[in-house]
Structure formats: structure tokens, C-alpha cells
């Protein structure tokens, strides 16, 4: 499940997902891209360095009332239930991130504040955006070359049956 306390135009928004493939759809300006951006930023963060609002999600999705962007995602990985909480600040390093193991109630440490996507999905942000998080056709093919992470994994899998074997 996803809970967005404040992110873009969404406040106190909850979305319960089902096991397997979930398709987020709706009318224009209903918040689909905002939800997708929230998911991506929860797991991978974002640099937030650009002063251009269209290129800086931290500025683009900052609530107009000045309240902090925050929320959580509850998910299962390898049979363990987790809650990833994040309050977005000016950068990945300054974000407040907490990972809870919901099965035993403990707070788990992460080796790096923005490695949740790598840890739980086994891929970097670029491969995530080209496979799991598809916001449009252009996101799948932009910057694709034989040396990008997704292309390497697909090539390895097609040749050996294992994405990790080159």
C-alpha cells in the first residue's frame, strides 16, 4: 500500500495495491504521474540539483502550502513485510528515511540513505524507470544503449538464462 501525506497535489492519499501487476490509470490531472513519481522517489530519491522546476521533482512536487513532502510504502520482500517511510528535504542525504520490519517491529538500518530500490528491486534507478516504472514510451527507449544496466541484464538473461551471468 502507498500512503502519501503530502506530495504534489496529493494529501492524505492512500492506494492499496494487489499482488502482481498493478496498472495506475485515470483522467488527465488525476495524479497518476504524481503517484508514480512518489514511488520512484521513495525507493531511489532524486538529486534535486536543478533550479528548473520541470527537471527537479523536489521542487515540482513540493506542496504549495509549504508542508513537508512525506509518506510511506508498505510492501513485502522475500516473505518479510516492510514499511519504508520518507520525509523529503533538500537532497537524498538530508531526507529522513526509516525502514521498518513490520513482522518483528524493528527499525532496520540501510547502508545508504537512497539504496532501497537497489536493495529490494535489485536494479538501479535507470533500469527501474525502463522496466517497472513505465511512464510513457519515451521512458523505455531514452538513452538506451548496449552498456546500460537493463540492456546488460536482458542480454545476459537471453544468452545464459541468468541476468547476473555475463
Amino acid at each position: 500500500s502507498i500512503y502519501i501525506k503530502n506530495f504534489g497535489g496529493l494529501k492524505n492519499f492512500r492506494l492499496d495495491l494487489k499482488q502482481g501487476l498493478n496498472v495506475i490509470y485515470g483522467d488527465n490531472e488525476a495524479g497518476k504521474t504524481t503517484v508514480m513519481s512518489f514511488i520512484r522517489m521513495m525507493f531511489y530519491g532524486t538529486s534535486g540539483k536543478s533550479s528548473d522546476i520541470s527537471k527537479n521533482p523536489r521542487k515540482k512536487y513540493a506542496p504549495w502550502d509549504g508542508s513537508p513532502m512525506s509518506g510511506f510504502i508498505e510492501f513485502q520482500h522475500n516473505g518479510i513485510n516492510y514499511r519504508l517511510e520518507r520525509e523529503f528535504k533538500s537532497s537524498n542525504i538530508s531526507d529522513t528515511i526509516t525502514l521498518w520490519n513490520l513482522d518483528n517491529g524493528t527499525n532496520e538500518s540501510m547502508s545508504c540513505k537512497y539504496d532501497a530500490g537497489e536493495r529490494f528491486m535489485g536494479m538501479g534507478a535507470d533500469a527501474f524507470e525502463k522496466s517497472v516504472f513505465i511512464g510513457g514510451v519515451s521512458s523505455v527507449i531514452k538513452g538506451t544503449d548496449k552498456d546500460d544496466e537493463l540492456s546488460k541484464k536482458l542480454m545476459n538473461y537471453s544468452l545464459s538464462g541468468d541476468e547476473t551471468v555475463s
Side-chain angles (χ1 to χ4, degrees), residues 99 108-116 118-119:
L99 178 64
E108 292 196 6
S109 64
M110 294 193 308
S111 60
C112 180
K113 281 193 166 191
Y114 42 90
D115 75 340
E118 185 75 36
R119 174 178 172 181

Side-chain angles (χ1 to χ4, degrees), residues 28-82:
N28 288 342
E29 302 301 317
K32 302 177 299 290
T33 302
T34 303
V35 170
M36 291 176 64
S37 295
F38 177 80
I39 294 168
R40 185 205 179 281
M41 286 179 63
M42 286 295 292
F43 283 100
Y44 292 100
T46 183
S47 68
K49 292 180 181 177
S50 177
S51 60
D52 181 348
I53 195 168
S54 68
K55 295 178 183 176
N56 185 337
R58 290 180 187 273
K59 291 184 179 191
K60 181 177 182 178
Y61 294 107
W64 288 7
D65 66 4
S67 55
M69 294 187 298
S70 64
F72 64 80
I73 295 180
E74 292 181 344
F75 61 96
Q76 188 177 77
H77 184 262
N78 292 335
I80 300 171
N81 294 296
Y82 292 97

